[in-house]
């Protein structure tokens, strides 16, 4: 099965959210960032996810940001907003709002506050969302990130959801870093879009039948990821493919040396020359001066080696 038959497929950026002086989402700057990412080769924007600090924002802040992006002319079909939160009613509200502005595909965390809940409980939560919304347009990309949510999405749960709602649950973002889990889902669920959350794994995942990626490092190396997505079938000996993959790996290492979101925002500030990009909403913090200096020095060396 080709990647083009999977939905969604391609390179989606887990976009950063710039903040204004009041630590609220900066709509205009975010729209600019989305346009930059699309110009760099991203197929779409996975906004309001982990990298976008979504769980630090209210429902009102999240809906307002999505409205601003659509109003600015960015096609709703290119947006994958995160709508899964701890409260069932808020997940329904966010998902219904996305549909109301023309977005039909969302990324949905499982409810994550209560721990050690069963698959039955998680199934019931997802089922309530789908049934209460009752809109055939809705497509859901599940979000498997057990290190952060402490709520894994099992293969048995995926099977149940796909059997009950085959036209709704179309894919999963796997941010576990477990390549064996990703490939097992590709093999077990034909037609199900498995998207990697770790940039270096996109190439091998595509070669196993995966659909692409939703990644944080795409905020800085979208062009290389887009090249790999387009040319993943080329020989490993192809110099351009090797160079693109090497750049992706080095970029991931660069932004993982210190806290990732703070590092990515620091690099965005350096690229745009707008210091406000460095703001994060508490409890997250910007990089301290010594780490910032080291990151920017390493980034300059990385850019020079490209």
């Amino acid at each position: 099965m080709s990647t083009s038959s999977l939905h969604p497929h391609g390179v989606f950026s887990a976009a950063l959210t710039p903040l204004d002086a009041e630590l609220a989402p900066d709509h205009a700057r975010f729209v600019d960032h989305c346009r930059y990412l699309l110009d760099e080769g991203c197929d779409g924007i996975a906004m309001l996810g982990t990298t976008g600090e979504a769980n630090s924002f209210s429902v009102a802040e999240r809906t307002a940001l999505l409205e601003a992006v659509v109003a600015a002319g960015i096609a709703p079909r290119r947006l994958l907003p995160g709508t899964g939160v701890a409260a069932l009613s808020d997940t329904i509200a966010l998902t219904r709002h996305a549909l109301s502005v023309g977005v039909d595909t969302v990324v949905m965390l499982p409810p994550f506050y209560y721990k050690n809940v069963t698959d039955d409980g998680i199934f019931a939560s997802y089922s309530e969302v789908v049934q209460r919304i009752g809109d055939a347009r809705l497509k859901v990309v599940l979000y498997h990130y057990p290190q952060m949510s402490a709520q894994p999405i099992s293969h048995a749960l995926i099977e149940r959801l796909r059997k009950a709602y085959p036209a709704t649950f179309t894919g999963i973002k796997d941010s576990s870093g477990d390549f064996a889990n990703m490939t097992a889902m590709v093999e077990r669920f034909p037609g199900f879009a498995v998207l990697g959350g770790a940039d270096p794994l996109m190439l091998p995942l595509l070669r196993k039948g995966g659909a692409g990626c939703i990644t944080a490092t795409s905020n800085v190396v979208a062009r290389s990821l887009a090249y790999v997505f387009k040319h993943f079938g080329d020989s490993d000996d192809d110099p351009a493919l090797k160079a693109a993959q090497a750049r992706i790996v080095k970029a991931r290492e660069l932004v993982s040396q210190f806290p990732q979101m703070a590092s990515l925002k620091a690099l965005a500030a350096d690229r745009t020359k707008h210091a406000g990009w460095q703001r994060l909403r508490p409890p997250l913090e910007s990089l301290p001066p010594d780490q910032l200096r080291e990151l920017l020095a390493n980034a300059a060396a990385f850019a020079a080696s490209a």
Side-chain angles (χ1 to χ4, degrees), residues 15 20 45 94 107-108 143 161 190 203 206 244 247 261 263 290 301:
D20 63 21
I45 309 296
L94 287 165
V107 179
M108 196 177 291
Y143 191 1
L161 289 169
L203 176 58
L206 286 168
R247 182 172 172 79
M261 280 174 275
S263 296
D290 58 332

Side-chain angles (χ1 to χ4, degrees), residues 11-305:
V11 174
F12 296 87
S13 180
L16 298 162
T17 305
L19 304 179
D20 63 21
E22 299 301 316
L23 301 182
D26 186 328
H27 294 182
R29 205 164 298 283
F30 183 71
V31 168
D32 287 345
H33 187 53
C34 290
R35 288 176 175 149
Y36 163 76
L37 293 169
L38 294 173
D39 287 345
E40 286 290 290
C42 286
D43 295 286
I45 309 296
M47 59 184 290
L48 293 167
T50 303
T51 305
E53 301 174 66
N55 286 296
S56 293
F57 302 140
S58 68
V59 169
E61 287 173 319
R62 292 164 74 137
T63 56
L65 185 61
L66 179 56
E67 287 176 8
V69 173
V70 174
I74 294 176
R77 64 179 175 79
R78 304 189 79 171
L79 300 174
L80 296 180
T83 64
V85 295
L88 175 66
S89 52
D90 287 347
T91 297
I92 292 168
L94 287 165
T95 305
R96 185 175 283 138
H97 174 264
L99 289 163
S100 77
V101 298
V103 174
D104 63 11
T105 305
V106 301
V107 179
M108 196 177 291
L109 276 167
F112 49 79
Y113 179 77
Y114 294 105
K115 306 302 183 284
N116 301 314
V117 298
T118 65
D119 274 5
D120 288 344
I122 300 300
F123 177 86
S125 180
Y126 278 123
S127 183
E128 288 287 344
V129 173
V130 175
Q131 291 189 48
R132 294 192 190 199
I133 289 174
D135 193 323
R137 294 175 298 163
L138 176 62
K139 303 290 184 294
V140 174
V141 175
L142 299 167
Y143 191 1
H144 176 65
Y145 197 1
Q147 299 96 313
M148 192 70 74
S149 70
Q151 183 55 61
I153 296 176
S154 71
H155 293 192
L157 176 61
I158 296 169
E159 189 163 42
R160 287 180 66 185
L161 289 169
R162 295 188 77 217
K163 183 176 180 180
Y165 307 102
T168 302
F169 292 92
T170 61
I172 189 167
K173 176 187 177 182
D174 187 339
S175 290
S176 68
D178 183 348
F179 188 68
N181 186 63
M182 298 177 207
T183 56
M185 288 189 291
V186 170
E187 293 168 2
R188 182 169 176 176
F189 305 117
F192 190 63
V194 178
L195 297 140
D199 311 79
L201 295 181
M202 184 182 73
L203 176 58
L205 181 61
L206 286 168
R207 289 176 168 173
K208 292 289 188 179
C213 70
I214 301 176
T215 59
T217 315
S218 57
N219 284 277
V220 294
V221 286
R223 193 174 294 272
S224 295
L225 284 161
Y227 185 90
V228 170
F229 183 79
K230 185 176 180 180
H231 295 276
F232 73 88
D234 294 355
S235 167
D236 281 333
D237 294 328
D238 178 71
L241 181 61
K242 289 173 66 174
Q245 179 68 1
R247 182 172 172 79
I248 290 165
V249 172
K250 288 181 181 178
R252 182 80 175 191
E253 292 170 351
L254 173 69
V255 302
S256 300
Q257 182 179 3
F258 304 120
Q260 188 179 81
M261 280 174 275
S263 296
L264 287 165
K265 282 198 158 182
L267 294 175
D270 186 56
R271 176 181 62 81
T272 62
K273 307 308 177 189
H274 188 272
W277 256 113
Q278 292 193 49
R279 301 184 186 109
L280 289 91
R281 181 172 281 191
L284 300 180
E285 299 175 286
S286 301
L287 295 181
D290 58 332
Q291 291 184 3
L292 177 60
R293 285 192 296 270
E294 186 174 348
L295 173 71
L296 294 180
N298 292 340
F302 169 70
S305 67

